[in-house]
Amino acid sequence: MANEKEILKDEAIEENDVVETIEQAEAELVEESEIEESQDELSKANERIAELEAKLSDAENRILRNQADFENYKRRVRLDQESATTYRAQSLVNDLLPALDNFERALQVEAKDEHSKSILQGMDMVYRGIVEALKKEGVEAIESVGVQFDPHFHQAVMQVEEADAESNIVLEEFQKGYKLKDRVLRPAMVKVNQ
């Protein structure tokens, strides 16, 4: 009986060992499945992080583009305002140029009596006053006669061939040209030597 008890005891120990081994195997399986679940959660979290980082990068790029667009807009507005300030008199000057031409033509008339001379003298004073007011605004007459022809400032309406003058020199001015600061309002109409 002692043998039987020992055999039963050995069987019980072996059974306990088997149960422990099974429990250890089950515990390892649970641990492995938990590790796999953790890895799945970790990979999903990494994917979500990458997605959010991409969205953040896109948002930052949009913000930078908007800031650059706004800076460009501010610069354009500033340049437009500076241009408007600099050339504010342009439309008025363009409207006055034909009157100025008429004054110049009227002043070329020869006065025959004292009454005509006094009228011409008054017209000359008005003409000089207008010219001075235009100079204060930055309007200048374009130099023409005796200078090199420049298509930016001169409009050639006639070409002649004179031997005693250099080539491409303005010989005569038919209508004065004017510029406002650095902008040509009207090119001078000229006769040019070929």
Side-chain angles (χ1 to χ4, degrees):
M1 252 293 200
N3 264 348
E4 276 184 29
K5 282 185 181 182
E6 278 183 34
I7 293 175
L8 284 175
K9 192 177 178 183
D10 284 340
E11 284 179 8
I13 291 176
E14 283 179 20
E15 203 173 289
N16 282 341
D17 286 345
V18 168
V19 168
E20 281 180 25
T21 306
I22 290 174
E23 286 175 357
Q24 283 179 348
E26 285 177 350
E28 287 176 7
L29 284 174
V30 167
E31 244 179 68
E32 284 179 17
S33 72
E34 287 176 0
I35 290 174
E36 286 177 6
E37 286 176 13
S38 296
Q39 287 176 346
D40 286 345
E41 289 176 14
L42 181 63
S43 67
K44 287 178 183 177
N46 285 337
E47 287 174 9
R48 181 72 176 146
I49 289 171
E51 179 183 322
L52 292 174
E53 284 176 345
K55 285 182 180 180
L56 176 65
S57 176
D58 288 344
E60 287 174 344
N61 286 337
R62 266 196 316 275
I63 289 170
L64 288 175
R65 280 194 301 274
N66 286 340
Q67 285 176 335
D69 288 344
F70 184 66
E71 289 300 319
N72 288 337
Y73 169 76
K74 285 186 347 185
R75 183 179 49 80
R76 279 193 310 270
V77 167
R78 183 179 39 81
L79 290 175
D80 289 347
Q81 287 173 343
E82 288 173 2
S83 178
T85 302
T86 302
Y87 301 110
R88 71 182 185 280
Q90 183 173 350
S91 65
L92 176 64
V93 172
N94 281 333
D95 292 341
L96 285 176
L97 289 181
L100 207 56
D101 293 337
N102 290 335
F103 261 113
E104 289 171 357
R105 281 191 284 279
L107 291 173
Q108 291 174 354
V109 172
E110 285 189 37
K112 299 195 179 180
D113 58 16
E114 285 302 312
H115 181 65
S116 300
K117 286 182 183 179
S118 67
I119 291 175
L120 281 177
Q121 186 179 11
M123 285 180 58
D124 186 48
M125 288 171 43
V126 172
Y127 172 76
R128 279 190 263 135
I130 292 172
V131 168
E132 284 304 312
L134 290 175
K135 279 184 183 176
K136 285 180 185 176
E137 286 297 320
V139 176
E140 301 175 29
I142 296 173
E143 295 279 331
S144 295
V145 178
V147 299
Q148 186 76 22
F149 175 77
D150 184 349
H152 296 104
F153 298 111
H154 306 116
Q155 178 181 359
V157 292
M158 183 184 253
Q159 273 192 325
V160 294
E161 209 170 305
E162 289 189 16
D164 59 333
E166 290 182 38
S167 177
N168 217 22
I169 294 292
V170 175
L171 299 175
E172 187 179 344
E173 180 180 67
F174 298 120
Q175 183 182 40
K176 273 190 179 178
Y178 292 93
K179 62 182 181 175
L180 176 61
K181 297 185 170 112
D182 60 347
R183 186 180 286 179
V184 174
L185 297 174
R186 179 177 78 185
M189 282 197 246
V190 295
K191 174 169 66 171
V192 180
N193 192 30
Q194 234 174 351

PDB file of all heavy atoms in Angstrom, residues 29-57:
ATOM      1  N   LEU A  29       0.710  32.128 -23.479  1.00  0.00           N
ATOM      2  CA  LEU A  29      -0.153  32.445 -24.613  1.00  0.00           C
ATOM      3  C   LEU A  29      -0.901  33.757 -24.379  1.00  0.00           C
ATOM      4  O   LEU A  29      -1.033  34.598 -25.279  1.00  0.00           O
ATOM      5  CB  LEU A  29      -1.152  31.312 -24.863  1.00  0.00           C
ATOM      6  CG  LEU A  29      -0.601  30.059 -25.528  1.00  0.00           C
ATOM      7  CD1 LEU A  29      -1.681  28.964 -25.570  1.00  0.00           C
ATOM      8  CD2 LEU A  29      -0.150  30.378 -26.940  1.00  0.00           C
ATOM      9  N   VAL A  30      -1.407  33.929 -23.168  1.00  0.00           N
ATOM     10  CA  VAL A  30      -2.114  35.171 -22.837  1.00  0.00           C
ATOM     11  C   VAL A  30      -1.142  36.345 -22.968  1.00  0.00           C
ATOM     12  O   VAL A  30      -1.471  37.399 -23.524  1.00  0.00           O
ATOM     13  CB  VAL A  30      -2.725  35.082 -21.409  1.00  0.00           C
ATOM     14  CG1 VAL A  30      -3.180  36.434 -20.918  1.00  0.00           C
ATOM     15  CG2 VAL A  30      -3.865  34.079 -21.393  1.00  0.00           C
ATOM     16  N   GLU A  31       0.087  36.163 -22.446  1.00  0.00           N
ATOM     17  CA  GLU A  31       1.106  37.202 -22.533  1.00  0.00           C
ATOM     18  C   GLU A  31       1.425  37.536 -23.988  1.00  0.00           C
ATOM     19  O   GLU A  31       1.523  38.696 -24.367  1.00  0.00           O
ATOM     20  CB  GLU A  31       2.395  36.714 -21.840  1.00  0.00           C
ATOM     21  CG  GLU A  31       2.768  37.516 -20.640  1.00  0.00           C
ATOM     22  CD  GLU A  31       4.030  36.967 -20.004  1.00  0.00           C
ATOM     23  OE1 GLU A  31       5.102  37.076 -20.621  1.00  0.00           O
ATOM     24  OE2 GLU A  31       3.920  36.432 -18.901  1.00  0.00           O
ATOM     25  N   GLU A  32       1.584  36.496 -24.808  1.00  0.00           N
ATOM     26  CA  GLU A  32       1.880  36.705 -26.229  1.00  0.00           C
ATOM     27  C   GLU A  32       0.733  37.429 -26.926  1.00  0.00           C
ATOM     28  O   GLU A  32       0.952  38.335 -27.731  1.00  0.00           O
ATOM     29  CB  GLU A  32       2.158  35.362 -26.924  1.00  0.00           C
ATOM     30  CG  GLU A  32       3.506  34.785 -26.625  1.00  0.00           C
ATOM     31  CD  GLU A  32       3.731  33.437 -27.326  1.00  0.00           C
ATOM     32  OE1 GLU A  32       2.978  33.119 -28.279  1.00  0.00           O
ATOM     33  OE2 GLU A  32       4.661  32.742 -26.930  1.00  0.00           O
ATOM     34  N   SER A  33      -0.514  37.027 -26.609  1.00  0.00           N
ATOM     35  CA  SER A  33      -1.648  37.701 -27.249  1.00  0.00           C
ATOM     36  C   SER A  33      -1.734  39.162 -26.770  1.00  0.00           C
ATOM     37  O   SER A  33      -2.066  40.059 -27.534  1.00  0.00           O
ATOM     38  CB  SER A  33      -2.951  36.957 -27.006  1.00  0.00           C
ATOM     39  OG  SER A  33      -3.378  37.094 -25.671  1.00  0.00           O
ATOM     40  N   GLU A  34      -1.422  39.409 -25.488  1.00  0.00           N
ATOM     41  CA  GLU A  34      -1.402  40.778 -24.987  1.00  0.00           C
ATOM     42  C   GLU A  34      -0.309  41.582 -25.679  1.00  0.00           C
ATOM     43  O   GLU A  34      -0.492  42.755 -26.015  1.00  0.00           O
ATOM     44  CB  GLU A  34      -1.193  40.790 -23.465  1.00  0.00           C
ATOM     45  CG  GLU A  34      -2.421  40.338 -22.691  1.00  0.00           C
ATOM     46  CD  GLU A  34      -2.171  40.260 -21.193  1.00  0.00           C
ATOM     47  OE1 GLU A  34      -1.033  40.551 -20.751  1.00  0.00           O
ATOM     48  OE2 GLU A  34      -3.108  39.914 -20.467  1.00  0.00           O
ATOM     49  N   ILE A  35       0.846  40.963 -25.891  1.00  0.00           N
ATOM     50  CA  ILE A  35       1.953  41.634 -26.590  1.00  0.00           C
ATOM     51  C   ILE A  35       1.544  41.949 -28.023  1.00  0.00           C
ATOM     52  O   ILE A  35       1.781  43.056 -28.518  1.00  0.00           O
ATOM     53  CB  ILE A  35       3.241  40.760 -26.552  1.00  0.00           C
ATOM     54  CG1 ILE A  35       3.796  40.733 -25.133  1.00  0.00           C
ATOM     55  CG2 ILE A  35       4.275  41.287 -27.540  1.00  0.00           C
ATOM     56  CD1 ILE A  35       4.973  39.787 -24.937  1.00  0.00           C
ATOM     57  N   GLU A  36       0.895  40.985 -28.691  1.00  0.00           N
ATOM     58  CA  GLU A  36       0.438  41.219 -30.061  1.00  0.00           C
ATOM     59  C   GLU A  36      -0.594  42.342 -30.097  1.00  0.00           C
ATOM     60  O   GLU A  36      -0.552  43.210 -30.976  1.00  0.00           O
ATOM     61  CB  GLU A  36      -0.154  39.931 -30.654  1.00  0.00           C
ATOM     62  CG  GLU A  36       0.884  38.893 -31.026  1.00  0.00           C
ATOM     63  CD  GLU A  36       0.250  37.592 -31.547  1.00  0.00           C
ATOM     64  OE1 GLU A  36      -0.989  37.552 -31.723  1.00  0.00           O
ATOM     65  OE2 GLU A  36       0.995  36.644 -31.772  1.00  0.00           O
ATOM     66  N   GLU A  37      -1.529  42.327 -29.123  1.00  0.00           N
ATOM     67  CA  GLU A  37      -2.521  43.397 -29.054  1.00  0.00           C
ATOM     68  C   GLU A  37      -1.834  44.746 -28.811  1.00  0.00           C
ATOM     69  O   GLU A  37      -2.185  45.760 -29.415  1.00  0.00           O
ATOM     70  CB  GLU A  37      -3.538  43.113 -27.946  1.00  0.00           C
ATOM     71  CG  GLU A  37      -4.526  42.018 -28.273  1.00  0.00           C
ATOM     72  CD  GLU A  37      -5.458  41.703 -27.105  1.00  0.00           C
ATOM     73  OE1 GLU A  37      -5.502  42.494 -26.138  1.00  0.00           O
ATOM     74  OE2 GLU A  37      -6.124  40.657 -27.169  1.00  0.00           O
ATOM     75  N   SER A  38      -0.856  44.754 -27.938  1.00  0.00           N
ATOM     76  CA  SER A  38      -0.115  45.989 -27.654  1.00  0.00           C
ATOM     77  C   SER A  38       0.618  46.473 -28.905  1.00  0.00           C
ATOM     78  O   SER A  38       0.651  47.673 -29.201  1.00  0.00           O
ATOM     79  CB  SER A  38       0.900  45.769 -26.529  1.00  0.00           C
ATOM     80  OG  SER A  38       0.256  45.460 -25.330  1.00  0.00           O
ATOM     81  N   GLN A  39       1.205  45.528 -29.635  1.00  0.00           N
ATOM     82  CA  GLN A  39       1.909  45.893 -30.868  1.00  0.00           C
ATOM     83  C   GLN A  39       0.927  46.437 -31.899  1.00  0.00           C
ATOM     84  O   GLN A  39       1.223  47.397 -32.603  1.00  0.00           O
ATOM     85  CB  GLN A  39       2.686  44.700 -31.421  1.00  0.00           C
ATOM     86  CG  GLN A  39       3.920  44.367 -30.624  1.00  0.00           C
ATOM     87  CD  GLN A  39       4.635  43.121 -31.130  1.00  0.00           C
ATOM     88  OE1 GLN A  39       4.081  42.343 -31.909  1.00  0.00           O
ATOM     89  NE2 GLN A  39       5.868  42.930 -30.674  1.00  0.00           N
ATOM     90  N   ASP A  40      -0.270  45.815 -32.000  1.00  0.00           N
ATOM     91  CA  ASP A  40      -1.297  46.320 -32.917  1.00  0.00           C
ATOM     92  C   ASP A  40      -1.711  47.724 -32.515  1.00  0.00           C
ATOM     93  O   ASP A  40      -1.818  48.627 -33.363  1.00  0.00           O
ATOM     94  CB  ASP A  40      -2.524  45.394 -32.925  1.00  0.00           C
ATOM     95  CG  ASP A  40      -2.284  44.088 -33.671  1.00  0.00           C
ATOM     96  OD1 ASP A  40      -1.275  44.043 -34.419  1.00  0.00           O
ATOM     97  OD2 ASP A  40      -3.098  43.162 -33.525  1.00  0.00           O
ATOM     98  N   GLU A  41      -1.949  47.924 -31.218  1.00  0.00           N
ATOM     99  CA  GLU A  41      -2.319  49.248 -30.739  1.00  0.00           C
ATOM    100  C   GLU A  41      -1.201  50.257 -31.001  1.00  0.00           C
ATOM    101  O   GLU A  41      -1.461  51.394 -31.391  1.00  0.00           O
ATOM    102  CB  GLU A  41      -2.646  49.201 -29.241  1.00  0.00           C
ATOM    103  CG  GLU A  41      -3.947  48.498 -28.916  1.00  0.00           C
ATOM    104  CD  GLU A  41      -4.180  48.383 -27.419  1.00  0.00           C
ATOM    105  OE1 GLU A  41      -3.484  49.074 -26.648  1.00  0.00           O
ATOM    106  OE2 GLU A  41      -5.068  47.601 -27.037  1.00  0.00           O
ATOM    107  N   LEU A  42       0.026  49.822 -30.794  1.00  0.00           N
ATOM    108  CA  LEU A  42       1.182  50.683 -31.028  1.00  0.00           C
ATOM    109  C   LEU A  42       1.299  51.048 -32.508  1.00  0.00           C
ATOM    110  O   LEU A  42       1.518  52.223 -32.855  1.00  0.00           O
ATOM    111  CB  LEU A  42       2.468  49.996 -30.546  1.00  0.00           C
ATOM    112  CG  LEU A  42       3.750  50.803 -30.700  1.00  0.00           C
ATOM    113  CD1 LEU A  42       3.683  52.072 -29.850  1.00  0.00           C
ATOM    114  CD2 LEU A  42       4.957  49.969 -30.307  1.00  0.00           C
ATOM    115  N   SER A  43       1.112  50.092 -33.398  1.00  0.00           N
ATOM    116  CA  SER A  43       1.203  50.386 -34.831  1.00  0.00           C
ATOM    117  C   SER A  43       0.061  51.304 -35.260  1.00  0.00           C
ATOM    118  O   SER A  43       0.257  52.232 -36.055  1.00  0.00           O
ATOM    119  CB  SER A  43       1.230  49.104 -35.669  1.00  0.00           C
ATOM    120  OG  SER A  43       0.002  48.437 -35.591  1.00  0.00           O
ATOM    121  N   LYS A  44      -1.153  51.097 -34.704  1.00  0.00           N
ATOM    122  CA  LYS A  44      -2.275  51.985 -35.010  1.00  0.00           C
ATOM    123  C   LYS A  44      -1.991  53.393 -34.481  1.00  0.00           C
ATOM    124  O   LYS A  44      -2.272  54.389 -35.160  1.00  0.00           O
ATOM    125  CB  LYS A  44      -3.578  51.442 -34.402  1.00  0.00           C
ATOM    126  CG  LYS A  44      -4.134  50.245 -35.122  1.00  0.00           C
ATOM    127  CD  LYS A  44      -5.390  49.732 -34.455  1.00  0.00           C
ATOM    128  CE  LYS A  44      -5.896  48.461 -35.150  1.00  0.00           C
ATOM    129  NZ  LYS A  44      -7.075  47.905 -34.480  1.00  0.00           N
ATOM    130  N   ALA A  45      -1.426  53.454 -33.291  1.00  0.00           N
ATOM    131  CA  ALA A  45      -1.088  54.762 -32.715  1.00  0.00           C
ATOM    132  C   ALA A  45      -0.016  55.459 -33.569  1.00  0.00           C
ATOM    133  O   ALA A  45      -0.093  56.668 -33.821  1.00  0.00           O
ATOM    134  CB  ALA A  45      -0.607  54.606 -31.275  1.00  0.00           C
ATOM    135  N   ASN A  46       0.966  54.707 -34.042  1.00  0.00           N
ATOM    136  CA  ASN A  46       2.017  55.286 -34.904  1.00  0.00           C
ATOM    137  C   ASN A  46       1.435  55.779 -36.222  1.00  0.00           C
ATOM    138  O   ASN A  46       1.838  56.834 -36.734  1.00  0.00           O
ATOM    139  CB  ASN A  46       3.136  54.277 -35.155  1.00  0.00           C
ATOM    140  CG  ASN A  46       4.032  54.099 -33.943  1.00  0.00           C
ATOM    141  OD1 ASN A  46       4.105  54.981 -33.089  1.00  0.00           O
ATOM    142  ND2 ASN A  46       4.714  52.962 -33.866  1.00  0.00           N
ATOM    143  N   GLU A  47       0.488  55.001 -36.776  1.00  0.00           N
ATOM    144  CA  GLU A  47      -0.172  55.437 -38.016  1.00  0.00           C
ATOM    145  C   GLU A  47      -0.950  56.727 -37.777  1.00  0.00           C
ATOM    146  O   GLU A  47      -0.899  57.657 -38.583  1.00  0.00           O
ATOM    147  CB  GLU A  47      -1.119  54.343 -38.529  1.00  0.00           C
ATOM    148  CG  GLU A  47      -0.433  53.142 -39.122  1.00  0.00           C
ATOM    149  CD  GLU A  47      -1.412  52.026 -39.484  1.00  0.00           C
ATOM    150  OE1 GLU A  47      -2.635  52.250 -39.427  1.00  0.00           O
ATOM    151  OE2 GLU A  47      -0.930  50.927 -39.818  1.00  0.00           O
ATOM    152  N   ARG A  48      -1.650  56.796 -36.664  1.00  0.00           N
ATOM    153  CA  ARG A  48      -2.426  58.000 -36.311  1.00  0.00           C
ATOM    154  C   ARG A  48      -1.491  59.195 -36.099  1.00  0.00           C
ATOM    155  O   ARG A  48      -1.774  60.307 -36.554  1.00  0.00           O
ATOM    156  CB  ARG A  48      -3.249  57.725 -35.044  1.00  0.00           C
ATOM    157  CG  ARG A  48      -4.098  58.869 -34.592  1.00  0.00           C
ATOM    158  CD  ARG A  48      -5.275  59.076 -35.509  1.00  0.00           C
ATOM    159  NE  ARG A  48      -6.095  60.145 -34.956  1.00  0.00           N
ATOM    160  CZ  ARG A  48      -6.767  60.998 -35.664  1.00  0.00           C
ATOM    161  NH1 ARG A  48      -6.758  60.888 -36.981  1.00  0.00           N
ATOM    162  NH2 ARG A  48      -7.465  61.947 -35.110  1.00  0.00           N
ATOM    163  N   ILE A  49      -0.370  58.952 -35.451  1.00  0.00           N
ATOM    164  CA  ILE A  49       0.622  60.022 -35.246  1.00  0.00           C
ATOM    165  C   ILE A  49       1.146  60.516 -36.586  1.00  0.00           C
ATOM    166  O   ILE A  49       1.245  61.725 -36.812  1.00  0.00           O
ATOM    167  CB  ILE A  49       1.778  59.523 -34.341  1.00  0.00           C
ATOM    168  CG1 ILE A  49       1.282  59.357 -32.910  1.00  0.00           C
ATOM    169  CG2 ILE A  49       2.965  60.470 -34.403  1.00  0.00           C
ATOM    170  CD1 ILE A  49       2.275  58.669 -31.986  1.00  0.00           C
ATOM    171  N   ALA A  50       1.470  59.604 -37.494  1.00  0.00           N
ATOM    172  CA  ALA A  50       1.966  59.993 -38.819  1.00  0.00           C
ATOM    173  C   ALA A  50       0.904  60.795 -39.572  1.00  0.00           C
ATOM    174  O   ALA A  50       1.208  61.800 -40.221  1.00  0.00           O
ATOM    175  CB  ALA A  50       2.374  58.762 -39.613  1.00  0.00           C
ATOM    176  N   GLU A  51      -0.356  60.355 -39.468  1.00  0.00           N
ATOM    177  CA  GLU A  51      -1.457  61.055 -40.125  1.00  0.00           C
ATOM    178  C   GLU A  51      -1.618  62.469 -39.559  1.00  0.00           C
ATOM    179  O   GLU A  51      -1.752  63.445 -40.306  1.00  0.00           O
ATOM    180  CB  GLU A  51      -2.745  60.255 -39.920  1.00  0.00           C
ATOM    181  CG  GLU A  51      -3.990  60.854 -40.525  1.00  0.00           C
ATOM    182  CD  GLU A  51      -5.223  60.021 -40.193  1.00  0.00           C
ATOM    183  OE1 GLU A  51      -5.120  58.777 -40.172  1.00  0.00           O
ATOM    184  OE2 GLU A  51      -6.277  60.639 -39.948  1.00  0.00           O
ATOM    185  N   LEU A  52      -1.572  62.597 -38.245  1.00  0.00           N
ATOM    186  CA  LEU A  52      -1.707  63.904 -37.603  1.00  0.00           C
ATOM    187  C   LEU A  52      -0.516  64.816 -37.923  1.00  0.00           C
ATOM    188  O   LEU A  52      -0.685  66.018 -38.119  1.00  0.00           O
ATOM    189  CB  LEU A  52      -1.872  63.740 -36.087  1.00  0.00           C
ATOM    190  CG  LEU A  52      -3.190  63.097 -35.630  1.00  0.00           C
ATOM    191  CD1 LEU A  52      -3.179  62.864 -34.125  1.00  0.00           C
ATOM    192  CD2 LEU A  52      -4.377  63.957 -36.035  1.00  0.00           C
ATOM    193  N   GLU A  53       0.689  64.222 -37.986  1.00  0.00           N
ATOM    194  CA  GLU A  53       1.869  65.012 -38.357  1.00  0.00           C
ATOM    195  C   GLU A  53       1.749  65.531 -39.784  1.00  0.00           C
ATOM    196  O   GLU A  53       2.116  66.668 -40.072  1.00  0.00           O
ATOM    197  CB  GLU A  53       3.151  64.183 -38.192  1.00  0.00           C
ATOM    198  CG  GLU A  53       3.579  64.015 -36.753  1.00  0.00           C
ATOM    199  CD  GLU A  53       4.805  63.116 -36.596  1.00  0.00           C
ATOM    200  OE1 GLU A  53       5.164  62.399 -37.565  1.00  0.00           O
ATOM    201  OE2 GLU A  53       5.399  63.141 -35.507  1.00  0.00           O
ATOM    202  N   ALA A  54       1.218  64.719 -40.681  1.00  0.00           N
ATOM    203  CA  ALA A  54       1.018  65.155 -42.068  1.00  0.00           C
ATOM    204  C   ALA A  54       0.005  66.297 -42.123  1.00  0.00           C
ATOM    205  O   ALA A  54       0.204  67.293 -42.828  1.00  0.00           O
ATOM    206  CB  ALA A  54       0.564  63.988 -42.933  1.00  0.00           C
ATOM    207  N   LYS A  55      -1.088  66.162 -41.361  1.00  0.00           N
ATOM    208  CA  LYS A  55      -2.085  67.235 -41.325  1.00  0.00           C
ATOM    209  C   LYS A  55      -1.497  68.511 -40.746  1.00  0.00           C
ATOM    210  O   LYS A  55      -1.756  69.616 -41.244  1.00  0.00           O
ATOM    211  CB  LYS A  55      -3.310  66.798 -40.499  1.00  0.00           C
ATOM    212  CG  LYS A  55      -4.216  65.816 -41.201  1.00  0.00           C
ATOM    213  CD  LYS A  55      -5.424  65.478 -40.349  1.00  0.00           C
ATOM    214  CE  LYS A  55      -6.336  64.489 -41.053  1.00  0.00           C
ATOM    215  NZ  LYS A  55      -7.509  64.146 -40.238  1.00  0.00           N
ATOM    216  N   LEU A  56      -0.696  68.368 -39.708  1.00  0.00           N
ATOM    217  CA  LEU A  56      -0.044  69.528 -39.096  1.00  0.00           C
ATOM    218  C   LEU A  56       0.903  70.196 -40.088  1.00  0.00           C
ATOM    219  O   LEU A  56       0.918  71.420 -40.216  1.00  0.00           O
ATOM    220  CB  LEU A  56       0.712  69.103 -37.831  1.00  0.00           C
ATOM    221  CG  LEU A  56       1.521  70.194 -37.131  1.00  0.00           C
ATOM    222  CD1 LEU A  56       0.578  71.273 -36.596  1.00  0.00           C
ATOM    223  CD2 LEU A  56       2.346  69.600 -36.000  1.00  0.00           C
ATOM    224  N   SER A  57       1.662  69.393 -40.803  1.00  0.00           N
ATOM    225  CA  SER A  57       2.582  69.929 -41.809  1.00  0.00           C
ATOM    226  C   SER A  57       1.820  70.677 -42.902  1.00  0.00           C
ATOM    227  O   SER A  57       2.216  71.778 -43.310  1.00  0.00           O
ATOM    228  CB  SER A  57       3.406  68.797 -42.412  1.00  0.00           C
ATOM    229  OG  SER A  57       4.236  69.271 -43.439  1.00  0.00           O
TER     230      SER A  57
END
